[in-house]
Amino acid sequence: MALGGYRLGVDFGTSSTVAMLAAPDGRARPLLFDASPLLPSGVFADRAAGLLLTGADAERAAAAHPAGFEANPKRRIDDGTIWLAEREITVTDAIAEVLTRVSDEARRVARRPPDTVVITHPAGWSRTRLGILATAAERAGLGSCGLVPEPVAAAAYFATVLDHDLPFDRHLVVYDLGAGTCDVSIVRRTHGGPQVVATAGLDDVGGLDLDAAVVSHARSLTATATDAWGRLDWPQTPADQRARHLLWRDARTVKEQLSRHTTADLHIPLVDTVIHLTRDELETAARPHLDRTVNLTTRILRDAGIPRERITGILLVGGSSRVPLAASLLHRALRIAPTTLDHPELVVAEGALHTTANEPTPPATAPPVPAEPAPPPAAPPPTTDDTPHQTDQPTTTGNTPGKVKPDPGVAAALLRWPRWPPRTRRDKAAIGGTIALVLAVVAATNLPSFLPTDLDPSGPQPQATATPSGDSPPNSTAPTGPRTSNARSLTGHTSMVASVAFSPDGRTLASTGMDETVRLWDVAAGNTTAEFLGHSESVYDVVFGPDGKTLATAGFDDVARLWDVNTGKTTANLTGHDRIVTGVAFSPDGKTLATASDTVRLWDVTTHKVVATLTDPTWFHSLAFSRDGKSLAAASIDETVLVWDVATRKVTATLTGHTDTVRSVAFSPDGKTLAGASDGKTVRLWNVATGQTIVTLTAHTDTVNGVAFSPDGKTLATASSDHTVRLWNVATGQTIVTLTGHTDTVNGVAFSPDGNTLATASSDHTVRLWRVTPDAIDGQGGQRARAAPMPAPAPRSSSTIGLSGVVGVTRG
């Protein structure tokens, strides 16, 4: 942390806000509000005085006039305005009032405005939410602030204040259990600082729910006092309001006391009795809530493809994480002892003081439309550490002695003199010689590859790393050491890419990811043609309608969207699912859209109404219609695949055999075979008519996330967390070829309509296009299997225009 000025770190929380002020000598201390480091985030509209009260003042006023109180303005950030005591308050003003308390106290303590201000926010917040937070900070007098994701600040605390090691190839789990929410994030170290790899949350589990468990237990012990509990539940007088406020305040105190001691007493007002509670009773009541948070933690690790061996620690933050059962359950589930702290609610605010790569304050309005990347320079530069999709490597690694990161300047020097793009045979020969020289250096020194992948295919090429099945024994790991991708890499996403889909004519590819965007790509040119913004969270799945004019997406914001491909406008928001929407599929006639979430729903594409809910609530990941439209299949968390008759909406088959969550399903073109990919590292092919397993494919070494049949049905492509894509001979069940080159989990895979191109989506932030030649999938035992490199696009000019109704759309 740089010295010489005052630095303010602010953790604006759902229920409480914490601020840490670092003096010029580097020493940090929490700001106190009413003698406490926790400033209640609630606001109260004093109608008589025309003022907004905050903190303890707001809570005290709310006891008598609850209609004027908003306890959690952070939860209302998407609402625009809040009605408090018949007064309309903007969410921005409500947040600004809380931050004004922080600003005033910081100025009082430092006797001057802080030189630097950093405010933390949930990792999954959209540009719009960040804009509201930044505007509120300016209105509070904090000026232009750095905005840092909460788990990044927590990771900075872990590495600097706690002085724990966070190697480049390891991940930190940040488990944040606050008053109103639970957020779990996976953070890794990069050369630019900590980076969030994956994040997910529960907005209905937190300390407030544990308080409610205490109250519920107290109610069960005094069940005969029905009149008193009626007044506590539905207070009608100021005295009843004060009694209810006192009950819930004391319930929170008892919960906190039981985190330190084994017993505590709770006085129940109006009932006028004291009950004795034990830690065991609290844990029994809290167990269902905490089990959900642990399941969330294990799921996000599984979805991100991170094994236990790559976890360097589990950091518990948020005041409610001090409940001992939370650490015990995490320890039991992950077999790693979590790092627990005396004051976990202070971690994020203090960690913000130690961040060095703060995000710039975003605009309150929509960002400008991004321009297309410029044509390639005279010499293609090597990939640097700042490239978002490149996996960062340490300068030295403890488990590979002597393996060092190459100096990018060396690559630049070697590649400086050949002309790009090549215009003559001499140019191509020069480039080929350079490649050969660099590969020789790489081979001699065991350096990771840093060559660009989109070199002219007519010149000399590095050898592709497509491995015939005979060269790769089952269950072997992906090749390690130097390697060069044989696929074109499409870059532009700023986070993991979740899914890909080709348009019916094969000219356009759609991709979605955790950066909340939907991108359209020109397959021939390899450039982005459009970017659709509208989802407020990660976008999980995408599919084109049969006519190519409509696009459907599934989002972590519990919404499925329909888009007009030509204009980029959202034509419908399909809401009603209680959880994230994980899969979408169009019926072959385009009249029906199926969505997967807590249930499977069928929607009329024209009216945007639900026409059927096909199952009781559970969790589904992926959907597929048969080509004739008569059957619909869904991959389930309960290790099965369900198949429905679309006309009767009855289950016709329950396909079993997997021993873990089924991630993806696909029908063969003739509808007779169904493929299902599983967390159990396997793929199963079933006979749809009989429900019997035809073959189990077992060569992947990690979760299989995606499956796709080739248009002729002879080949199956699978995408895995082991960073590879495999092509299988459907008739024999043998691997034809293993495609390597992605540096992280491969999440999705899709064949082009002509079957000649394979698209893959990866957590390394890239989409890749693989040219699959006929002899690579001819099914002849894999002896002639190979994957040819896609031709590199010629440089082309591009322009940027805005399309009506879209926040930002780029056209080439």
Side-chain angles (χ1 to χ4, degrees):
M1 179 177 67
L3 305 183
Y6 280 94
R7 287 171 55 85
L8 178 65
V10 183
D11 175 17
F12 173 58
T14 301
S15 295
S16 298
T17 293
V18 177
M20 297 289 293
L21 184 67
D25 62 4
R27 289 183 296 178
R29 60 174 175 170
L31 297 179
L32 300 182
F33 307 92
D34 300 311
S36 171
L38 303 181
L39 170 66
S41 296
V43 294
F44 178 84
D46 188 331
R47 184 172 53 183
L51 300 175
L52 283 180
L53 302 180
T54 60
D57 294 339
E59 290 187 332
R60 282 191 293 268
H65 304 284
F69 183 59
E70 171 53 56
N72 312 115
K74 185 176 181 179
R75 280 187 170 180
R76 305 292 299 275
I77 194 164
D78 294 325
D79 293 348
T81 58
I82 310 170
W83 279 95
L84 299 178
E86 300 179 4
R87 177 182 171 191
E88 188 177 35
I89 307 295
T90 68
V91 173
T92 304
D93 284 341
I95 296 173
E97 199 65 30
V98 178
L99 297 181
T100 297
R101 281 288 303 275
V102 174
S103 176
D104 291 345
E105 183 63 16
R107 289 168 183 259
R108 188 190 68 80
V109 172
R111 299 182 181 180
R112 54 180 280 192
D115 299 271
T116 305
V117 180
V118 181
I119 303 179
T120 63
H121 60 84
W125 267 21
S126 63
R127 297 177 182 90
T128 302
R129 292 177 176 180
L130 295 180
I132 293 171
L133 182 60
T135 301
E138 290 185 359
R139 293 183 186 179
L142 293 174
S144 180
C145 304
L147 300 181
V148 173
E150 292 162 1
V152 168
Y157 183 96
F158 182 83
T160 55
V161 179
L162 300 181
D163 197 25
H164 288 321
D165 187 28
L166 182 55
F168 283 88
D169 59 343
R170 293 292 198 88
H171 298 78
L172 175 68
V173 178
V174 178
Y175 173 94
D176 186 350
L177 185 61
T181 62
C182 177
D183 295 295
V184 179
S185 301
I186 313 300
V187 182
R188 68 167 182 167
R189 177 185 172 193
T190 73
H191 290 288
Q195 178 188 66
V196 179
V197 175
T199 187
L202 300 171
D203 60 6
D204 58 349
V205 175
L208 296 176
D209 299 282
L210 305 188
D211 299 345
V214 172
V215 173
S216 178
H217 184 66
R219 186 195 307 272
S220 69
L221 297 178
T222 57
T224 58
T226 54
D227 291 341
W229 278 106
R231 292 168 62 191
L232 289 170
D233 290 337
W234 299 98
Q236 302 297 317
T237 67
D240 292 349
Q241 291 282 3
R242 286 191 292 271
R244 176 178 172 82
H245 178 74
L246 183 63
L247 170 66
W248 283 86
R249 187 197 66 183
D250 289 349
R252 182 173 67 248
T253 302
V254 165
K255 176 195 67 180
E256 294 169 353
Q257 184 176 339
L258 289 175
S259 299
R260 303 184 297 270
H261 307 286
T262 57
T263 62
D265 293 330
L266 174 66
H267 174 260
I268 307 176
L270 301 184
V271 180
D272 197 22
T273 188
V274 176
I275 63 170
H276 186 73
L277 289 96
T278 66
R279 180 182 292 175
D280 288 342
E281 288 174 311
L282 172 64
E283 291 185 345
T284 299
R287 180 68 182 265
H289 301 293
L290 295 179
D291 277 342
R292 290 183 61 203
T293 69
V294 174
N295 291 338
L296 173 70
T297 305
T298 56
R299 178 175 63 82
I300 191 175
L301 286 167
R302 183 176 64 237
D303 289 351
I306 299 173
R308 185 173 62 88
E309 294 74 17
R310 286 171 55 192
I311 301 173
T312 194
I314 305 170
L315 179 61
L316 304 191
V317 302
S320 299
S321 70
R322 60 163 54 92
V323 175
L325 183 60
S328 298
L329 293 176
L330 286 167
H331 192 178
R332 191 178 308 162
L334 301 179
R335 290 174 290 167
I336 299 172
T339 300
T340 58
L341 303 167
D342 291 336
H343 300 287
E345 60 275 277
L346 306 182
V347 168
V348 171
E350 186 169 357
L353 298 173
H354 297 273
T355 56
T356 57
N358 299 333
E359 299 175 3
T361 300
T365 57
V369 179
E372 277 291 330
T383 303
T384 68
D385 296 330
D386 295 328
T387 305
H389 63 272
Q390 178 68 33
T391 298
D392 293 279
Q393 299 290 339
T395 302
T396 60
T397 58
N399 51 5
T400 52
K403 186 174 179 179
V404 298
K405 182 174 179 64
D407 182 356
V410 175
L414 290 171
L415 294 173
R416 185 174 297 127
W417 56 270
R419 182 164 50 179
W420 190 266
R423 298 182 180 88
T424 66
R425 291 183 180 179
R426 182 174 180 178
D427 292 338
K428 296 175 182 177
I431 293 169
T434 302
I435 294 170
L437 175 60
V438 174
L439 290 179
V441 173
V442 169
T445 59
N446 195 31
L447 299 179
S449 173
F450 50 81
L451 281 177
T453 60
D454 292 339
L455 300 180
D456 190 291
S458 57
Q461 292 289 315
Q463 185 176 357
T465 56
T467 307
S469 59
D471 298 334
S472 179
N475 298 322
S476 63
T477 58
T480 58
R483 64 189 184 187
T484 306
S485 169
N486 64 336
R488 275 174 51 196
S489 183
L490 309 183
T491 60
H493 281 288
T494 59
S495 187
M496 67 166 280
V497 188
S499 62
V500 285
F502 280 96
S503 61
D505 62 9
R507 297 178 180 179
T508 303
L509 183 76
S511 61
T512 65
M514 282 188 64
D515 58 7
E516 305 170 12
T517 67
V518 183
R519 283 181 176 266
L520 299 186
W521 309 81
D522 184 313
V523 174
N527 65 318
T528 300
T529 60
E531 183 182 31
F532 298 164
L533 303 179
H535 280 287
S536 61
E537 302 289 347
S538 304
V539 192
Y540 198 83
D541 195 18
V542 63
V543 63
F544 278 94
D547 60 2
K549 298 178 181 180
T550 304
L551 199 69
T553 53
F556 271 54
D557 51 8
D558 304 346
V559 175
R561 283 178 179 261
L562 294 176
W563 309 78
D564 184 305
V565 173
N566 293 324
T567 66
K569 292 182 178 180
T570 298
T571 58
N573 289 326
L574 308 181
T575 60
H577 282 297
D578 293 331
R579 300 182 182 179
I580 61 176
V581 185
T582 53
V584 283
F586 274 106
S587 60
D589 62 9
K591 296 180 180 180
T592 303
L593 181 75
T595 57
S597 178
D598 51 329
T599 59
V600 173
R601 295 189 176 193
L602 299 181
W603 305 77
D604 185 301
V605 174
T606 302
T607 65
H608 309 149
K609 301 294 185 182
V610 176
V611 295
T613 300
L614 297 182
T615 182
D616 294 330
T618 177
W619 192 283
F620 297 91
H621 282 286
S622 173
L623 297 166
F625 277 99
S626 59
R627 183 171 289 185
D628 60 11
K630 295 181 179 180
S631 299
L632 175 69
S636 173
I637 195 173
D638 67 3
E639 305 171 5
T640 67
V641 174
L642 297 180
V643 182
W644 288 272
D645 182 296
V646 176
T648 65
R649 295 162 189 169
K650 296 184 179 297
V651 175
T652 58
T654 300
L655 307 179
T656 62
H658 279 303
T659 58
D660 210 330
T661 297
V662 186
R663 289 278 161 188
S664 181
V665 289
F667 276 101
S668 62
D670 61 10
K672 297 180 179 179
T673 303
L674 189 73
S678 167
D679 280 11
K681 309 176 186 179
T682 61
V683 178
R684 281 181 177 262
L685 299 183
W686 289 281
N687 182 309
V688 176
T690 65
Q692 298 299 309
T693 298
I694 300 171
V695 65
T696 302
L697 311 178
T698 61
H700 279 297
T701 60
D702 208 334
T703 296
V704 188
N705 301 300
V707 289
F709 278 97
S710 62
D712 61 9
K714 297 179 179 179
T715 304
L716 185 75
T718 57
S720 173
S721 295
D722 63 13
H723 303 187
T724 70
V725 178
R726 284 179 177 262
L727 299 184
W728 307 80
N729 184 313
V730 173
T732 66
Q734 297 297 311
T735 298
I736 301 170
V737 65
T738 302
L739 307 178
T740 62
H742 278 300
T743 58
D744 209 331
T745 294
V746 189
N747 300 303
V749 62
F751 275 101
S752 62
D754 62 9
N756 292 330
T757 303
L758 192 71
T760 53
S762 172
S763 294
D764 64 11
H765 302 188
T766 68
V767 173
R768 290 182 178 241
L769 295 178
W770 311 77
R771 176 64 56 79
V772 185
T773 56
D775 60 341
I777 55 172
D778 61 3
Q780 302 301 316
Q783 296 301 313
R784 297 192 297 127
R786 63 184 179 87
M790 288 287 291
R796 52 181 290 175
S797 60
S798 61
S799 60
T800 302
I801 63 173
L803 298 187
S804 174
V806 187
V807 174
V809 179
T810 309
R811 290 282 181 187

